[in-house]
Amino acid sequence: MREIPIAALVYDYDHTLSPRDMQEFSFLPGLGVEPEAFWASCRDAALEHQLDGVLAYMYRMRQVAQGRLRLTRQALMDQGKNIEFFPGVEDWFHRINQLGRQAGVEVEHYIISSGLQEIIEGSRIAKHFKAVFAASYVYDQNGEAVWPATAVNYTSKTQYLFRINKGILDVTNDRDLNAFTPEHMRRVPFTNMIYVGDGLTDVPCMKMTKLKGGYSIAVHAPGGDPTLADDMLFQKRADFAVPADYRAGSEIESTVACIFRQIRARHDLVVLRDRQEKRALSRRAAQP
């Protein structure tokens, strides 16, 4: 067992760390497309072609960009530069890492999002994540997006929790992901995970994390309608429901700091139990 346990903070992105869908900051305004019309067209495409919702918006992004914007990896990363965040997000990571050290845990941050990986990787907070699991494109010889490489919807999100759990972050490595791994050999136990999300698409991850002994936090926009987050709390899909206010001294900060202390206490109790079991086995082996 590790001397210092890892605590993994796993976030959704849109409406969890950022107040709007990522396409609405630069991509759609730059093309003169109204967000409401774009998302309506995505729903129409999904119904017409029986498309998954994530594939539908990736398809429509290529359509609206055609002849107006070369949809290259760099162009998409550039869209991430203007993403805005909820209060306190940009200095949250340094503060929460320090709180983890004070509690005796090593903090890692991950994204599991149905948004675009390229846009997320171009945003100001990308450097803080150990891994970003999100939708992405395949690019042709001219560097332009031609096909989905990955599409992360609300149910497929859960596989990435197991990747974090086992430490298998390469999305092409399914063999090791699906191979049997004893619990004590898994890099980040589910009991050391904290999942932070805002809506119904986060429910499978919230529920799985919670059922496996971890923690789920439902957030809502500060000053906004808390009904959905409260419902997830009452329905026991989430352990906590707080505003998406990440500033120093905020409710989410104090909640996470308290969870860190519990993760460390649980780790120390396991160490004590293992030590006592070894001692008891030694005594038994020494008996005539």
Side-chain angles (χ1 to χ4, degrees):
M1 176 175 285
R2 293 175 59 94
E3 183 178 346
I4 299 176
I6 297 171
L9 269 160
V10 186
Y11 312 84
D12 179 42
Y13 199 88
D14 295 337
H15 304 279
T16 295
L17 298 174
S18 175
R20 303 200 305 275
D21 292 303
M22 61 185 66
Q23 293 86 350
E24 298 179 13
F25 291 99
S26 290
F27 178 76
L28 295 176
L31 297 173
V33 177
E34 288 294 326
E36 294 81 2
F38 174 77
W39 296 117
S41 73
C42 292
R43 290 190 290 273
D44 290 343
L47 289 171
E48 180 182 355
H49 303 291
Q50 292 297 288
L51 277 173
D52 173 86
V54 177
L55 292 173
Y57 89 68
M58 296 176 76
Y59 168 72
R60 286 292 296 137
M61 283 183 71
R62 287 191 65 239
Q63 282 191 322
V64 299
Q66 195 166 20
R68 305 164 72 187
L69 172 69
R70 289 188 67 236
L71 213 59
T72 63
R73 183 185 299 277
Q74 187 58 54
L76 286 169
M77 290 184 69
D78 288 343
Q79 307 301 317
K81 295 177 181 177
N82 294 323
I83 290 179
E84 299 169 8
F85 300 100
F86 282 121
V89 165
E90 292 191 60
D91 62 7
W92 160 265
F93 304 95
H94 292 302
R95 282 187 285 106
I96 215 69
N97 291 348
Q98 178 61 30
L99 287 172
R101 285 190 288 271
Q102 292 171 4
V105 301
E106 178 184 342
V107 182
E108 293 179 351
H109 305 273
Y110 297 85
I111 290 288
I112 304 179
S113 170
S114 294
L116 274 179
Q117 181 174 337
E118 293 89 336
I119 295 180
I120 295 170
E121 289 178 346
S123 69
R124 295 187 300 277
I125 62 173
K127 62 186 178 183
H128 299 293
F129 302 112
K130 185 172 180 65
V132 173
F133 302 111
S136 61
Y137 285 107
V138 172
Y139 299 88
D140 66 13
Q141 65 273 17
N142 298 315
E144 296 195 40
V146 293
W147 195 262
T150 55
V152 180
N153 64 25
Y154 66 100
T155 51
S156 64
K157 277 185 170 187
T158 55
Q159 74 149 290
Y160 300 102
L161 292 176
F162 284 98
R163 290 192 179 279
I164 296 167
N165 172 233
K166 293 185 174 185
I168 302 166
L169 306 184
D170 178 358
V171 297
T172 66
N173 186 352
D174 294 331
R175 183 179 60 82
D176 290 337
L177 177 65
N178 292 312
F180 173 73
T181 307
E183 290 293 334
H184 71 277
M185 294 180 63
R186 299 189 180 201
R187 186 173 182 275
V188 183
F190 273 94
T191 51
N192 292 16
M193 288 189 194
I194 306 168
Y195 187 89
V196 185
D198 69 281
L200 294 177
T201 59
D202 296 302
V203 166
C205 281
M206 286 183 166
K207 191 73 173 176
M208 177 173 288
T209 305
K210 182 175 166 59
L211 285 173
K212 287 185 169 289
Y215 309 85
S216 296
I217 302 175
V219 298
H220 59 85
D225 184 359
T227 302
L228 180 55
D230 290 346
D231 284 347
M232 288 193 282
L233 178 66
F234 294 143
Q235 294 161 1
K236 301 191 183 305
R237 294 174 165 189
D239 296 291
F240 307 97
V242 299
D245 180 347
Y246 296 84
R247 289 174 290 191
S250 63
E251 191 172 2
I252 191 170
E253 183 184 83
S254 60
T255 300
V256 170
C258 188
I259 293 171
F260 285 164
R261 293 193 292 274
Q262 185 164 13
I263 288 172
R264 181 69 210 202
R266 182 188 288 117
H267 171 86
D268 290 345
L269 286 170
V270 171
V271 170
L272 283 171
R273 184 198 63 203
D274 289 348
R275 186 182 304 154
Q276 291 166 13
E277 283 183 352
K278 288 177 182 177
R279 190 169 62 229
L281 284 170
S282 296
R283 286 197 298 264
R284 182 159 295 180
Q287 290 176 354

